[in-house]
Amino acid sequence: MTVWDDLVGQEKVSAVLDAAARDADALVTAAAADEPPPTASKMTHAWLFTGPPGAGRNQAARAFAAALQCVSPDRALGGVPGCGFCDGCHTALLGTHADVTTVAAVGSEILVKDMRDTVRKSFTSPANGRWQIILVEDAERLNEKSANAVLKAVEEPAPRTVWLLCAPSVEDVLPTIRSRCRHLTLRTPSVEAVADMLVRRDGIEPEVAASAARATQGHVDRARRLATDPAARERRAAVLKLPLRLDEVGACLRAAQELVDAAAEDARQLAEEMDSKETEELKAALGATQGGRLPRGTAGVIKDLEDMQKRRRTRTQRDSLDVALGDLTAFYRDVLALQLGTRVAIANADAGEALERLARAGAPESTLRRIEAVSACREALDRNVAPLLAVEAMTMALRAG
């Protein structure tokens, strides 16, 4: 299984990246032999991956990073970069390769202090890999200062450094940065392709895989989670019941509180898994004594870690809320499809009774207003409006129709 097998429905992108990885091999070989680089190379120092949520932007970038670091013995015999099994591929895909640095937004923005060390590292030679690779998963969250730091590094890159930037669209990235990148657009994979992947890769029953792929409309990560995690299915079922509960003001407020509480619980569970481990590892690295006492002058480092963990919990809560709001949007889209009598496939076939009930009870105009209310809530959360306030405003608007 090659690294490209994880890119569901992205055959054209895989072909471009595979060709670039082959040319990257030629560049490394020429440099080692002190020869001039080959002409017309498809490899470049900066790449921009864009596409809708769930298309697999980050997976494509990480697969490319693995192909660039591939050290398979078959390479000497003309094997394809990105075998998926060698140490270079394996560690790059897991995120533990010494020469593949991943930057992701912890809070709502990637701060310049989070980028300084990464930018400095981008100017160093690879420690043991073939390339020094910087993968920025949330390039749209770079603020002005951190984006300018990236721009300087992309403008004058080190010879063996590759920048891989991921964002929803080119408009989310500074024009000065995107103009220096090779742009690849990923598309939302088909429901059938995602269902097939779940059956082949994860051993999911075909009916469950088809239902999860249809419910998430081709979002690969959410489809996998929905197919494999009973708790995720329970949360989705609760969200799809919400539109039928909004018959009075008190019910709207209770529903909003439940949505926010469920998102907060998601964040708490993640924090329990990660925070204590990170804190203990940092204390050990700082040389904490047996009683847990830290050396002098290290309290600030612990405080920085706690601040980062707090920002991550806030973002996790908002991301969990966004998943619920996405489910609501898909639900009302199905209602609208029934009201208009279109032939669009129903995503939430398992909630058919509720869809029919709401379709009969309202008009398409009111359904459109409800979809707009959900979109307004998502935009409010992006602007850092208090989650409970934003969701309460949404549920009241859903009741009004």
Side-chain angles (χ1 to χ4, degrees):
M1 184 183 74
T2 69
V3 296
W4 314 118
D5 291 340
D6 284 334
L7 306 187
V8 183
Q10 311 296 342
E11 289 77 12
K12 290 184 178 179
V13 170
S14 299
V16 171
L17 295 176
D18 180 67
R22 292 169 186 262
D23 284 356
D25 259 5
L27 291 172
V28 172
T29 302
D34 198 22
E35 298 175 353
T39 58
S41 173
K42 296 181 177 64
M43 182 60 187
T44 186
H45 72 284
W47 298 75
L48 175 59
F49 298 81
T50 66
R57 302 185 301 261
N58 296 341
Q59 290 88 340
R62 192 164 292 283
F64 187 38
L68 293 177
Q69 303 290 22
C70 182
V71 292
S72 169
D74 294 339
R75 300 284 292 285
L77 304 175
V80 178
C83 66
F85 296 102
C86 70
D87 185 65
C89 286
H90 185 65
T91 54
L93 291 173
L94 288 179
T96 58
H97 196 291
D99 294 317
V100 180
T101 301
T102 302
V103 180
V106 176
S108 59
E109 294 182 334
I110 298 178
L111 305 178
V112 68
K113 68 178 183 180
D114 299 328
M115 288 301 304
R116 285 195 185 108
D117 289 341
T118 301
V119 169
R120 279 195 290 267
K121 185 176 182 180
S122 74
F123 289 105
T124 63
S125 298
N128 50 34
R130 303 166 69 83
W131 297 87
Q132 184 73 261
I133 299 174
I134 311 298
L135 197 169
V136 184
E137 292 188 345
D138 306 288
E140 76 279 9
R141 295 181 184 267
L142 290 165
N143 62 21
E144 183 179 359
K145 292 182 178 180
S146 57
N148 286 333
V150 170
L151 174 61
K152 292 178 182 178
V154 173
E155 280 181 326
E156 300 176 0
R160 297 278 290 278
T161 294
V162 181
W163 284 83
L164 309 178
L165 309 179
C166 305
S169 70
V170 291
E171 288 76 17
D172 293 315
V173 181
L174 279 179
T176 46
I177 292 179
R178 67 187 188 228
S179 66
R180 290 164 172 80
C181 299
R182 183 171 183 187
H183 179 210
L184 292 177
T185 302
L186 285 78
R187 60 188 181 90
T188 300
S190 67
V191 170
E192 293 75 18
V194 175
D196 179 66
M197 178 272 296
L198 291 175
V199 173
R200 289 187 296 105
R201 307 278 179 80
D202 300 286
I204 306 299
E205 291 295 326
E207 289 186 4
V208 176
S211 176
R214 186 171 56 248
T216 57
Q217 291 296 284
H219 193 300
V220 178
D221 291 337
R222 288 183 56 199
R224 178 179 280 116
R225 185 176 183 187
L226 199 61
T228 58
D229 185 359
R233 292 195 290 271
E234 290 177 7
R235 283 194 293 272
R236 174 177 169 271
V239 170
L240 297 186
K241 292 177 183 177
L242 183 144
L244 299 178
R245 298 171 47 196
L246 308 179
D247 52 355
E248 58 182 20
V249 173
C252 292
L253 300 181
R254 285 194 297 273
Q257 186 68 63
E258 289 172 9
L259 276 180
V260 173
D261 288 347
E265 178 63 18
D266 265 0
R268 185 190 66 79
Q269 290 179 1
L270 179 65
E272 285 183 351
E273 295 172 4
M274 300 181 68
D275 289 3
S276 59
K277 180 181 178 181
E278 287 176 342
T279 302
E280 291 305 317
E281 287 178 351
L282 180 59
K283 286 182 177 179
L286 293 174
T289 60
Q290 188 173 1
R293 295 182 62 182
L294 290 167
R296 289 185 179 181
T298 59
V301 179
I302 296 295
K303 179 65 166 57
D304 288 342
L305 176 62
E306 291 172 348
D307 289 342
M308 182 276 289
Q309 291 171 341
K310 182 178 179 181
R311 285 189 287 135
R312 184 172 61 202
R313 284 194 294 271
T314 299
R315 185 187 174 193
T316 301
Q317 180 179 4
R318 293 178 187 274
D319 286 349
S320 180
L321 266 178
D322 192 66
V323 170
L325 297 178
D327 290 335
L328 270 180
T329 300
F331 180 90
Y332 283 115
R333 168 192 167 278
D334 288 345
V335 171
L336 185 63
L338 292 175
Q339 290 171 331
L340 297 177
T342 67
R343 296 183 179 181
V344 175
I346 299 300
N348 300 286
D350 52 338
E353 184 177 344
L355 294 173
E356 293 281 357
R357 178 176 167 183
L358 285 182
R360 290 193 302 267
E365 294 80 8
S366 63
T367 303
L368 282 171
R369 286 194 292 271
R370 289 181 170 115
I371 292 174
E372 290 172 355
V374 180
S375 297
C377 181
R378 299 175 91 164
E379 292 173 3
L381 291 172
D382 282 341
R383 297 194 303 270
N384 289 324
V385 174
L388 184 58
L389 182 61
V391 178
E392 284 179 346
M394 179 195 72
T395 55
M396 295 296 289
L398 294 179
R399 175 177 178 269

